[in-house]
Amino acid sequence: MKRKTLFTLWVWCAFFLLACMLPLYWLGWLPLFAVLLLCLGIVSLTVFALQWQVSEWLKERVGLLHQVFEHSGEAVMITDPGNRILDVNPTFSELTGYARNDVLGKNPRLLSSGRTSRAEYEAMWAALQSTGRWQGEIWDRRKDGAVYPKLLAISVVYDEVGAVQYHIANFKDISAEKATQAKLEYIAHHDMLTGLNNRFSLDDRLDHALAVARRETHHVALLFIDLDRFKVINETLGHPVGDELLIQVSQRLRRTVRESDLVARLGGDEFVVMLTGVGYANTAAQVAEKLLKVLGEAYVLGEHTLYATPSIGVAIFPNDGPDRETLMKNAEAAMYHAKAEGRNGFQFFDSRMNSVAVERLEIEHALRQALGADEFVLHYQPVIDAESGAVASVEALIRWQHPARGLLPPGMFIGVAEETGLIEPIGAWVMAEAFRQLAEFRRQGLQNVNMAINISAVQIRSGELLARAEALIERFELDPSWLIFEITESVAMAQPDETVRILDQLRAMGIQVALDDFGTGYSSLAYLRMFALDKLKLDRSFVTDIGQNADGEVICDATIGLGHALNLELVAEGVETESQFDYLKLRGCQLVQGYYFSRPLPAEEVIAFIRQRAA
Ligand code: C2E
Ligand code: CA
Ligand code: CA
């Protein structure tokens, strides 16, 4: 019962008691009447005092509650049973943009943005009716039209008889929380460098795509993409350049495939494109072709212009695997196969490929042991002076005496060594061994034979090349002019400025420099002029063309002409027949190398060969 009613009741009681006491007065029982009147007076005074005290306390409490209402960090809105707004606090006005007078008597519907569905509102009212409270997120519109998410809690206040008296709603703007949440979500699903989806997100989307494809008997194609020699570019030109390359690659990938196809970066230079709703293997092949073309175009990275071709492996669901793990593994195996087939190509998965991937892994593992186990050897291929027929120099070519698989040619492991960074210690070993052997040749009286070694891109950048060469020259008491460093054209062109600098220093030391595999890269004449070169090594492919087709000969002639115009000595590689030799000699090629004269030989045999040619 309410306080006011109690008080009124007491006043009535007091009158009633007074009325009851009046007969005592008339009967003349004055002392008793006086005592009772006194008691009634005391009790009434006490009741009045209490009433006053309580009303003071209540005033204070109402004041406090008002302050809470006014200063609450959350917006508060009170509505009547007909859901008309009775009151709102200042935070409400701040948040919604509506002044108190704008909204009094209105339905809170005026706040809604239209973005929260009817069903959600219905669920809210159902909860309010059954439990008297509801909490959730809804989208509202501010007075200025801006839509924002808010966290809203509503409770229903009932009167004595259980009828709804008020609805009290309090809410706050959760745009900032939403934005943080969206950012975290983004970070969890994307690769930070390129903005592509990451592996986690690929797993998710692939599982989903496979589930749909199973239901609708569609195909899903996975294209596993790896950039050829990315590691070399990254290590020779530096990580910022590598990063920029990855960004450009990802932009090209994204541009080339449809919006609905997924492009993900797995890390490093590995990307996956997922094509859904693929009808035929042909579609995947067309996309792979397009990617090869687009990714194979020149990249301009700051002052560098370079080429980074991709190798692509394709696996298609359901033919190449029933689930995500198998498909990914098989697409990767197909990619390694594409690499082994000479890079810049694509391959469909074939069940025999898994053995290739395993073999590559085995090579990488064994290669790590090979240096310590002294399993490398150098063979030396003679380079012949076309005029005199004597051996002018030998080219040191590495071989790997593999414990189980026999003598392996460099094509089987140099690529892996470059990608894993093992080329650095291997290259250092080659240099030391070749220099030692050259000193040995000289000791054995072979006075006119020079030594050529192959330098990899990684060694050019490492900065240790010159110091190492200098130290070895001193240790073996060599004359630098007896040495020839061969650098392939594609390496030189991929990092022209670095190459210009290193070649200048090598030349300054007195070491000769040859541009290897000439004619296969993208040399511009401008760069050729800038490189401090002594020799051009005409690539084997041109020599093979001699006598085979007219076009090949025209290119071969033009290349020889270019060498002459630049005043460089020309070495023809891969000479296998007498007619090739005659042709080259006639065109003024000073040096020749190839099976026609000799295959690469172990040190002892090459010594015998040199002696025999000299005689
Ligand atoms: P390259 O520098 O172009 O070496 C010439 C390759 O052609 C050698 O293959 C040689 O055996 C082969 N060859 C020579 N004459 C003929 C011929 O008449 N016909 C045919 N068909 N082939 C001929 P190899 O020894 O297998 O070396 C392959 C490549 O491996 C080399 O190509 C070079 O780029 C790389 N390499 C070899 N040794 C080293 C090394 O110590 N360090 C580095 N970084 N790379 C090396
Ligand atoms: Ca070479
Ligand atoms: Ca070559």
Side-chain angles (χ1 to χ4, degrees):
M1 212 183 289
K2 287 203 173 149
R3 193 172 47 81
K4 212 163 169 182
T5 341
L6 272 171
F7 180 67
T8 321
L9 198 66
W10 167 249
V11 174
W12 283 109
C13 274
F15 275 114
F16 176 72
L17 288 173
L18 196 63
C20 291
M21 279 153 57
L22 279 179
L24 297 177
Y25 179 75
W26 291 322
L27 290 174
W29 294 3
L30 284 181
L32 184 61
F33 175 76
V35 169
L36 285 177
L37 192 65
L38 192 68
C39 288
L40 188 62
I42 291 172
V43 172
S44 291
L45 267 178
T46 317
V47 168
F48 276 115
L50 276 176
Q51 157 73 14
W52 182 79
Q53 178 93 45
V54 165
S55 77
E56 277 306 296
W57 176 77
L58 276 177
K59 242 193 256 166
E60 213 171 281
R61 194 159 154 73
V62 167
L64 177 69
L65 290 179
H66 181 73
Q67 293 294 331
V68 171
F69 181 72
E70 288 291 297
H71 296 107
S72 161
E74 291 196 359
V76 182
M77 174 178 74
I78 304 168
T79 65
D80 68 9
N83 209 24
R84 275 177 300 265
I85 297 175
L86 288 176
D87 209 348
V88 295
N89 70 348
T91 309
F92 173 96
S93 300
E94 230 169 81
L95 210 155
T96 63
Y98 288 103
R100 186 164 175 273
N101 286 333
D102 292 343
V103 297
L104 289 190
K106 303 252 168 74
N107 188 297
R109 202 183 296 131
L110 97 155
L111 302 175
S112 79
S113 67
R115 228 167 116 172
T116 305
S117 72
R118 222 188 140 83
E120 284 171 89
Y121 281 120
E122 277 165 9
M124 175 178 101
W125 282 109
L128 285 177
Q129 259 161 18
S130 62
T131 66
R133 47 181 68 240
W134 179 85
Q135 173 159 333
E137 288 176 18
I138 63 169
W139 288 84
D140 270 0
R141 188 187 299 279
R142 277 187 252 274
K143 193 176 179 186
D144 64 11
V147 172
Y148 66 102
K150 71 184 192 183
L151 181 65
L152 170 66
I154 306 178
S155 11
V156 184
V157 181
Y158 303 95
D159 64 11
E160 298 98 279
V161 294
V164 174
Q165 201 174 13
Y166 308 114
H167 301 106
I168 301 179
N170 45 322
F171 55 87
K172 60 178 182 186
D173 181 347
I174 49 168
S175 309
E177 285 95 326
K178 282 259 171 207
T180 313
Q181 198 184 341
K183 198 162 172 189
L184 287 177
E185 186 85 347
Y186 182 87
I187 291 173
H189 287 90
H190 290 82
D191 166 50
M192 282 302 104
L193 177 67
T194 62
L196 294 178
N197 289 78
N198 60 16
R199 180 186 286 269
F200 172 69
S201 151
L202 170 70
D203 286 356
D204 219 38
R205 294 272 301 269
L206 183 53
D207 280 340
H208 179 74
L210 293 182
V212 174
R214 262 178 221 119
R215 232 180 16 242
E216 300 177 1
T217 58
H218 270 162
H219 291 87
V220 174
L222 277 192
L223 277 65
F224 199 110
I225 303 163
D226 188 283
L227 298 182
D228 300 330
R229 306 199 179 281
F230 172 74
K231 199 172 160 75
V232 176
I233 292 173
N234 203 32
E235 276 171 17
T236 51
L237 301 187
H239 297 292
V241 176
D243 284 355
E244 181 55 32
L245 175 63
L246 292 174
I247 290 170
Q248 291 195 18
V249 165
S250 57
Q251 287 165 348
R252 291 184 190 188
L253 285 173
R254 208 42 282 181
R255 265 207 322 265
T256 312
V257 301
R258 286 183 307 186
E259 192 72 43
S260 57
D261 297 329
L262 181 87
V263 182
R265 177 174 171 231
L266 301 184
D269 59 337
E270 290 178 347
F271 299 86
V272 168
V273 172
M274 176 182 85
L275 311 174
T276 47
V278 176
Y280 304 95
N282 202 8
T283 318
Q286 279 166 1
V287 175
E289 290 275 14
K290 207 151 71 168
L291 290 177
L292 283 179
K293 183 171 168 295
V294 171
L295 297 184
E297 281 160 15
Y299 294 84
V300 180
L301 307 167
E303 75 235 51
H304 308 280
T305 299
L306 54 87
Y307 293 81
T309 55
S311 294
I312 304 178
V314 186
I316 296 185
F317 171 85
N319 316 39
D320 299 333
D323 53 35
R324 164 162 59 82
E325 287 84 4
T326 319
L327 283 169
M328 285 288 284
K329 192 178 78 161
N330 290 348
E332 188 175 6
M335 181 277 292
Y336 278 124
H337 196 69
K339 267 199 197 298
E341 290 287 290
R343 301 163 196 267
N344 193 19
F346 74 90
Q347 285 284 325
F348 277 97
F349 174 72
D350 174 319
S351 56
R352 280 162 297 182
M353 282 176 185
N354 276 321
S355 55
V356 175
V358 169
E359 178 175 296
R360 204 199 103 99
L361 268 181
E362 276 172 9
I363 286 195
E364 182 177 336
H365 185 72
L367 206 51
R368 291 185 189 279
Q369 329 275 323
L371 262 177
D374 217 10
E375 288 171 5
F376 293 113
V377 283
L378 290 183
H379 282 187
Y380 303 89
Q381 187 175 35
V383 176
I384 310 292
D385 183 322
E387 207 49 57
S388 71
V391 175
S393 59
V394 295
E395 177 178 2
L397 294 161
I398 193 169
R399 272 94 185 90
W400 179 9
Q401 187 63 57
H402 191 282
R405 301 167 60 176
L407 200 65
L408 300 181
M412 302 269 306
F413 61 90
I414 288 286
V416 177
E418 282 180 332
E419 273 156 27
T420 53
L422 285 167
I423 192 69
E424 181 78 47
I426 294 176
W429 177 86
V430 169
M431 198 187 282
E433 176 60 12
F435 284 23
R436 187 196 62 74
Q437 190 60 55
L438 178 60
E440 179 64 20
F441 286 163
R442 297 273 159 168
R443 211 181 52 75
Q444 296 204 20
L446 307 176
Q447 292 303 331
N448 298 313
V449 179
N450 295 336
M451 173 73 74
I453 61 169
N454 292 285
I455 306 293
S456 132
V458 181
Q459 290 170 282
I460 294 224
R461 177 72 181 194
S462 90
E464 286 176 31
L465 185 69
L466 295 164
R468 186 165 280 143
E470 226 156 16
L472 288 169
I473 285 169
E474 207 177 288
R475 176 161 145 212
F476 293 114
E477 298 174 348
L478 303 174
D479 185 321
S481 69
W482 301 343
L483 297 162
I484 304 157
F485 280 18
E486 297 190 0
I487 290 157
T488 61
E489 184 187 14
S490 50
V491 164
M493 285 304 150
Q495 36 181 333
D497 304 328
E498 201 68 39
T499 306
V500 166
R501 200 171 59 76
I502 298 278
L503 297 194
D504 280 346
Q505 285 168 328
L506 285 173
R507 282 287 288 286
M509 279 170 66
I511 295 174
Q512 300 185 58
V513 180
L515 195 64
D516 208 349
D517 300 347
F518 181 66
T520 57
Y522 304 87
S523 296
S524 70
L525 206 55
Y527 273 128
L528 281 180
R529 285 229 166 78
M530 280 164 71
F531 293 150
L533 297 171
D534 298 276
K535 296 173 162 57
L536 284 184
K537 293 194 81 173
L538 186 61
D539 191 66
R540 194 168 77 224
S541 56
F542 297 101
V543 177
T544 313
D545 282 345
I546 295 172
Q548 302 289 319
N549 68 68
D551 282 356
E553 283 182 11
V554 171
I555 298 174
C556 186
D557 287 356
T559 317
I560 293 174
L562 184 60
H564 287 319
L566 291 167
N567 244 335
L568 298 173
E569 213 169 9
L570 267 169
V571 190
E573 287 189 305
V575 180
E576 294 188 355
T577 65
E578 188 175 2
S579 61
Q580 287 169 346
F581 171 52
D582 291 341
Y583 182 98
L584 291 161
K585 191 175 166 192
L586 199 68
R587 297 285 186 297
C589 208
Q590 297 95 328
L591 297 162
V592 283
Q593 174 181 3
Y595 294 172
Y596 176 61
F597 307 100
S598 167
R599 290 184 172 259
L601 301 169
E604 285 316 308
E605 291 176 35
V606 89
I607 290 173
F609 182 88
I610 297 168
R611 290 221 166 95
Q612 176 212 325
R613 291 298 288 201

